[in-house]
């Protein structure tokens, strides 16, 4: 029996070693990281959708009573919330704490720096944008209008270019920090759909959205453009398409963010006015 047990242990260890070699030499090998990360991002979206559906069915009382399209949007927002937490946390790490993009620790040009991890994270984000854009177009306009199509298209193109070329990843991550506001936006929709628009939670969430949007989608974009200005001698050395993306995509997104910020201010003022009258 002992000999048989040892054979099983050795067989398991052999399979583990082979699996690790497969992951190391193929799935996570530098040339394959962009493709495996995109595929991983798409698969993660599917898992997040199914988990949101499963958990909501058991623990959210109002979920079964929603219409079919409302349940689809509910699950879709679960995907975007998980992606936002993942990518915004890692974006904050790369921009403010990682030595990868530090001016003081390295002498090479900051606009051409990348690492296997930075490429992998961008690939997962590309997988998300592809999945979400596909759902938006498939059910258009139920999950969002033309502004969502524009936002996801430009964001996906910019992130994919940065991932494949290794150019301007710092600025890509600066823009992706703005995803930190997505969970709050989704929570606003969840509370509204669940009939809690007049609750204190809805008001508190609205205040958080206001300050989060101001910092992550208005002020941070200003900081990004200032950083580009300070490092323009490096930015000008990028390929033409990358150069255009560094200025074009953030400018379009910043304009959209300002338009949405105006709507957020109006919505918050209306909610506060209703609370005072109530």
């Amino acid at each position: 029996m002992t000999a048989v047990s040892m054979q099983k242990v050795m067989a398991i260890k052999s399979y583990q070693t082979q699996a690790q070699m497969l992951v190391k030499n193929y799935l996570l090998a530098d040339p394959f990281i962009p493709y495996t990360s995109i595929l991983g991002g798409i698969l993660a979206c599917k898992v997040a959708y199914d988990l949101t559906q499963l958990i909501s069915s058991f623990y959210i009382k109002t979920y079964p009573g929603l219409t079919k399209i409302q349940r689809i949007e509910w699950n879709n927002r679960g995907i975007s919330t998980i992606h936002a937490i993942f990518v915004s946390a890692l974006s904050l790490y790369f921009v403010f704490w990682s030595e990868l993009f530090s001016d003081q620790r390295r002498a090479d040009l900051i606009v051409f720096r990348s690492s296997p991890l930075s490429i992998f994270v961008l690939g997962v984000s590309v997988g998300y944008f592809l999945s979400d854009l596909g759902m938006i177009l498939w059910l258009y306009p139920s999950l969002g209008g033309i502004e969502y199509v524009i936002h996801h298209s430009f964001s996906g193109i910019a992130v994919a270019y940065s991932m494949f070329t290794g150019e301007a990843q710092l600025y890509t991550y600066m823009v992706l920090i703005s995803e930190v506001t997505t969970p709050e936006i989704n929570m606003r929709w969840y509370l509204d759909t669940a009939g809690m628009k007049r609750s204190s939670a809805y008001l508190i969430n609205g205040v958080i959205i206001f300050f989060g949007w101001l910092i992550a989608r208005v002020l941070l974009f200003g900081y990004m453009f200032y950083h580009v200005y300070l490092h323009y001698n490096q930015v000008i050395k990028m390929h033409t398409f990358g150069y255009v993306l560094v200025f074009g995509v953030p400018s379009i997104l910043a304009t959209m963010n300002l338009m949405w910020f105006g709507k957020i201010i109006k919505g918050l003022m209306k909610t506060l006015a209703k609370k005072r009258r109530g």
Side-chain angles (χ1 to χ4, degrees), residues 245-265:
L245 287 178
V246 165
F247 287 96
V249 173
S251 297
I252 293 171
L253 296 180
T255 301
M256 296 177 69
N257 287 339
L258 287 173
M259 293 171 59
W260 282 328
F261 190 52
K263 294 181 179 180
I264 289 171
I265 294 173

Side-chain angles (χ1 to χ4, degrees), residues 41-42 69 80 97 111 118 139 179 256 277:
I42 294 173
I69 193 63
S80 66
W97 292 291
V111 295
S118 69
L139 298 168
E179 286 293 312
M256 296 177 69
R277 288 197 297 267

Side-chain angles (χ1 to χ4, degrees), residues 111 154 158 168 171-172 175 221 224-255:
V111 295
F154 280 108
Y171 300 128
T172 303
V175 172
F221 271 70
M224 194 218 74
F225 285 121
Y226 178 66
H227 195 282
V228 171
Y229 168 74
L230 292 178
H231 296 80
Y232 184 75
N233 62 320
Q234 298 185 32
V235 175
I236 196 68
K237 296 179 181 179
M238 294 171 55
H239 290 92
T240 303
F241 189 67
Y243 177 86
V244 171
L245 287 178
V246 165
F247 287 96
V249 173
S251 297
I252 293 171
L253 296 180
T255 301

